[in-house]
Every structure is written in structure tokens, then in C-alpha cells.
Amino acid sequence: MAQVLEFKLPDLGEGLTEAEIVRWLVSVGDVVAVDQPVVEVETAKAMVEVPCPYGGVVTARYGEEGTELPVGAPLLTVAVGASEPSDASDTAPAPATAATPRAAAPAPAAAPAPGPTPARASASASASDEASGNVLVGYGTGAPAARRRRVRRAPLSASPAAPALVREPVNGAAGPVPVVSPLVRRLAREHGVDLRGLTGTGRDGLILRCDVEQAIHRGATQAPSAVSAPAPATAPAPVMAPTASPAPAPAPAAASPSARPGVTRVPLRGVRGAVADKLTRSRREIPDATCWVDADATELLAARRAMNAAGGAKISLLAVFARICTAALARHPELNSTVDLAAREIVRLPEVHLGFAAQTDRGLVVPVVRDAQARSAESLSAEFARLTEAGRSGTLTPGELTGGTFTLNNYGVFGVDGSTPIINHPEAAMLGIGRIVPKPWVHEGELAVRQVVQLSLTFDHRVCDGGTAGGFLRYVADCVEQPAVLLRTL
């Protein structure tokens, strides 16, 4: 007899609490194998395929394409041990085509534990061959061989495994609220809920979406009672005949902006929503400043042409600037850091994980090149090309979009000279590169036409002062004008 197992949206990692169904890869009645991808979802980080840990016949799907589901919400049910589709009335509690409304979706709880849920536990003994347990982050089935265990990391300040981190005390605001998801912060902000007054039910006091929704519900139930509270008992007032009075004319209602013809509303979710939340947080928390300088890039372009003419892998201009950046950060490590508000410290980081802004059809993404300080120009070129192609095809993983320590932004590809970019929170700085164009320039005492580029550095003023930022930018400009300067640091 077939056993019907329910597969829920698993923990997608990186603090993500919900995902949007982009495309179903199976239909009701299809036979699926263990670990076969069954649905494509888009999170605030990337688009991923979700594999099903069970093998059998799909009996129901929950949620149509375009529906947002929280982590832990049912995705589909599978009849394990069945060779053909079962009767829907016996296998599925709801029609296969029924979409799960976002408002009715269950609130996400803490990250699912590696162990089986009660529904899976009852079937694990007899269906261990049909379940792999290998479903993304921290989510498993009843298969004992695939159990996963999460290790809680010690705080950075107490970790003996990271001696290269340098911490400095910094003056700032009080510690941050224990909230990971920007969606939870947005929900609280939209309903006027003070997160500092909530006690999180998640691990280590983490505030979850369900905590905010409960606070919203409590506020909604308390408001009517305060208005309708009975007045204290007093002597009855004399009865008077009602006096007819004309009702005031209703004020004309202002037309809603969305009611006007031609208005289009675009939901802020997925990658676009994640970018909006991150940029808003950066503007709110980071006191940034920008300095810029024009540099003669004629010699740099000539050096790059010579390197590419020598044979071997082609070196991109972005890779050359990345190599200059890593050398500049070695001389000015203050800019390769982050601010720990809870500990009131500046944390200087030993590795340079270099992010770079890439425009795709799905919006702006910032892939990260790991350990850029240890890579050659050829290696940087290859990694930039790989991550850019993955960004355009929508196959970047959450790990490739997080963990950056410094960002390079080549907005010159859009044909503009300068910009004051917003820092990619929680980093401390971003270098912007404008277009390289021929301009009149004084070269060796004479007016000449040279290839000129404008460089801008936006930095967190908490981690350093203008002298450090100016020294970093001046060194970058010197390497652009005289590439031989870079050789002294290699």
C-alpha cells in the first residue's frame, strides 16, 4: 500500500524565510525519482531548483507559479511505493491546482531540524530506499545516512580560529535587533511594530515572521477594546427628543495613484526586493562619504594590450582594476572591514572577497570573487567571466552572492563618467570606475589628448577618515597612470 508523504519548502540557507514559485518541473501524476528537481523557486538571493527527497507518484501540488511560500509550507505530496497515480480523494487533502494564497500561508517557524517530521517518521522505516535526505540546507528525510548536523559557531570576538581579524572599538548606536530576514523587518515597519519590544521564538532569540504577525494580531485585537470600553456608571441623563440635523457632506475622496489609467505596480520581491532592502539599510546605517579623482589611463590600456598580445588567456580591464584594488587594500586595510554595532568594534578582515556589480535581466546582482588578493590577473578574468555568465542565466548560488568585503563598480560600461554609489552593506567601501574617454590632458608639460577615467571611492566614515580614503584612491590612480607602480607591491 502506498504511503503519502508531504514535502515542504526546505530551509534555503542564508537566513531566507520565503521563496516564490517560478516554474513547476513536474505535474500531478508524474513519477519522480529521489533527488529529482521538482520546482524552480526564486529567493531574495538567487533562483534555485528544489529537489524532492522522495521517489514515487506526485499526488498534489500546492501553489501556482508566482505564489510566495514561507519555509516549511507544503510544496507537494508524493505517494511512495505507488507505480501509478492514486485517487486524488484518497491521497491529497486539497485539489492539485489549488493555489495557496500568500495571506493564508502558514508563518515560518525556526529553521527545520535535520530529523524527520512526524509524517515522515512513520514512513521512514519502510520507505528508506525512496528517501535520500539530501535537500538543500538543514532539511532531511527519514534516511539515517543523510542526517545533517548544524554546528553553532562561536562569536568572532571569542573565536581562536580567526587570529587575523583586527577589532577596534567604535562609537555608535545600540546593538542591532536580532532579526536576520529583511522581509521580517519590512513587515514590522509596514505595520508599525517595534522589534525591540519583541521576544524572538527562534534560535538564540531570533525574531521570526510569526513573532511579528502575532504582535500585529495583538495590536488589532486590543485597539477595538480600548475604543469601546464602557463608561463609568452615572445617573441617567434626561431623555430628549431627537433633533434633526443635516448630515455633513462627505469630503471628496482623493484619487488613489494606482486608480489612474496607465499606472503599473511592480512588486518589490525576489532579487529586486533584496536589492531595495539592502540599499535602504546601507543608507540608514552607514555614514558614507565620497571622494574622486581623474586619472590618465593611457599607459594602463597600453600595458593591457601588451599582456594580451603576448598570448595566453585574455585579461579583462576589470581584472586589471581588481588587481590594483587588492594591492591598495593591502596598504590600506581599514577599507577591507566591517562595523560590528553589537560589540561597537571595527572588524578588519584578512581576505579580500571582491564583489562586482553586474546588471542582468533580473536586476542588479553583486557576485563575489573569493580570495581575490591571492589571484592573478588571468584567474580574476576567468572568475569574472564565469560569475557574470551565471548571473545572466540566473544560476548564481546564494553563496556566490554573499560574503563580499569590498565592491568594484564599473559603471563606465553604461557610458557615464562618475557616480556616488551606495555601499554594499555591511562592507565599508566601494570603488567606482567611469568610462575611459579621450580628453585634453597635460602630459610631460605639454597639452595632449589622453585616455582619461574618473575614479570615485565611497567609504564608511566610521572605519577611517578622509586621509586614509584619499591615500587609497591616490594609490589606485597612480597605478592607473603608471602601471609600474603596481610592480613594487607584487
Side-chain angles (χ1 to χ4, degrees):
M1 180 178 179
Q3 294 176 324
V4 179
L5 303 182
E6 184 180 75
F7 175 43
K8 299 179 179 180
L9 179 64
D11 180 1
L12 301 171
E14 300 292 338
L16 301 172
T17 59
E18 60 186 19
E20 177 184 349
I21 296 177
V22 176
R23 182 167 60 98
W24 281 104
L25 305 178
V26 296
S27 301
V28 174
D30 288 355
V31 177
V32 296
V34 173
D35 288 343
Q36 175 182 335
V38 293
V39 64
E40 189 177 66
V41 301
E42 182 178 23
T43 71
K45 300 291 185 181
M47 191 177 298
V48 296
E49 291 183 346
V50 179
C52 180
Y54 309 122
V57 178
V58 178
T59 59
R61 298 187 322 194
Y62 300 96
E64 297 298 328
E65 295 178 357
T67 303
E68 280 193 353
L69 296 178
V71 169
L75 267 180
L76 50 79
T77 55
V78 178
V80 177
S83 58
E84 59 184 16
S86 303
D87 187 4
S89 62
D90 298 331
T91 60
T97 59
T100 304
R102 184 178 179 185
T117 60
R120 292 195 298 269
S122 62
S124 59
S126 60
S128 59
D129 294 337
E130 290 87 359
S132 72
N134 300 320
V135 182
L136 300 181
V137 180
Y139 191 92
T141 64
R147 289 181 180 268
R148 299 184 181 184
R149 182 169 57 90
R150 288 189 175 184
V151 179
R152 181 175 299 175
R153 297 181 180 178
L156 288 176
S157 58
S159 175
L165 293 179
V166 179
R167 290 179 171 266
E168 297 178 353
V170 62
N171 294 326
V177 180
V179 179
V180 172
S181 171
L183 300 173
V184 174
R185 291 184 180 273
R186 183 181 64 187
L187 181 65
R189 183 169 59 250
E190 290 175 349
H191 291 82
V193 175
D194 185 2
L195 292 173
R196 297 185 182 277
L198 300 183
T199 300
T201 59
R203 186 174 57 190
D204 298 331
L206 186 69
I207 296 176
L208 306 176
R209 180 175 177 178
C210 60
D211 300 326
V212 177
E213 290 178 339
Q214 290 177 0
I216 296 171
H217 178 70
R218 287 196 301 267
T221 55
Q222 291 173 3
S225 62
V227 175
S228 59
T234 58
V239 179
M240 301 183 66
T243 302
S245 59
S256 171
S258 59
R260 298 199 305 267
V263 173
T264 303
R265 300 178 70 89
V266 180
L268 270 177
R269 61 189 184 191
V271 173
R272 184 71 261 171
V275 170
D277 292 335
K278 198 164 195 177
L279 297 182
T280 300
R281 183 178 183 184
S282 178
R283 271 289 188 242
R284 183 174 62 247
E285 295 184 8
I286 298 179
D288 59 345
T290 302
C291 54
W292 57 88
V293 66
D294 290 342
D296 181 2
T298 306
E299 297 300 329
L300 181 71
L301 296 178
R304 174 174 171 260
R305 286 195 300 268
M307 287 187 292
N308 288 335
K314 298 298 181 181
I315 298 174
S316 66
L317 188 61
L318 186 63
V320 176
F321 273 102
R323 194 66 190 88
I324 294 174
C325 270
T326 57
L329 289 172
R331 300 169 68 94
H332 301 279
E334 299 91 338
L335 295 170
N336 193 58
S337 63
T338 186
V339 174
D340 187 342
L341 286 178
R344 298 171 68 86
E345 293 175 336
I346 298 171
V347 184
R348 295 184 185 173
L349 306 169
E351 301 89 9
V352 178
H353 299 321
L354 190 64
F356 66 99
Q359 192 69 37
T360 69
D361 294 338
R362 298 172 59 240
L364 179 69
V365 295
V366 185
V368 177
V369 177
R370 306 285 170 180
D371 297 309
Q373 82 287 348
R375 293 177 179 266
S376 64
E378 292 86 350
S379 174
L380 288 168
S381 292
E383 189 67 357
F384 282 140
R386 183 187 73 81
L387 292 173
T388 299
E389 179 58 32
R392 290 170 178 167
S393 61
T395 58
L396 285 170
T397 65
E400 292 171 331
L401 289 167
T402 55
T405 63
F406 186 93
T407 295
L408 196 58
N409 188 1
N410 182 19
Y411 44 75
V413 297
F414 302 115
V416 297
D417 297 329
S419 173
T420 55
I422 300 176
I423 296 174
N424 189 23
H425 186 280
E427 298 170 13
M430 176 186 293
L431 179 69
I433 306 168
R435 60 175 181 163
I436 302 177
V437 293
K439 290 184 178 180
W441 190 267
V442 176
H443 176 66
E444 296 181 352
E446 296 183 358
L447 188 63
V449 176
R450 307 286 287 181
Q451 301 294 323
V452 179
V453 61
Q454 184 180 98
L455 306 171
S456 62
L457 177 70
T458 299
F459 64 98
D460 186 340
H461 222 315
R462 297 173 298 180
V463 304
C464 68
D465 296 324
T468 300
F472 174 93
L473 189 58
R474 186 64 257 171
Y475 176 81
V476 172
D478 290 343
C479 290
V480 169
E481 294 183 343
Q482 303 177 40
V485 173
L486 182 62
L487 297 177
R488 293 199 295 266
T489 62
L490 298 180

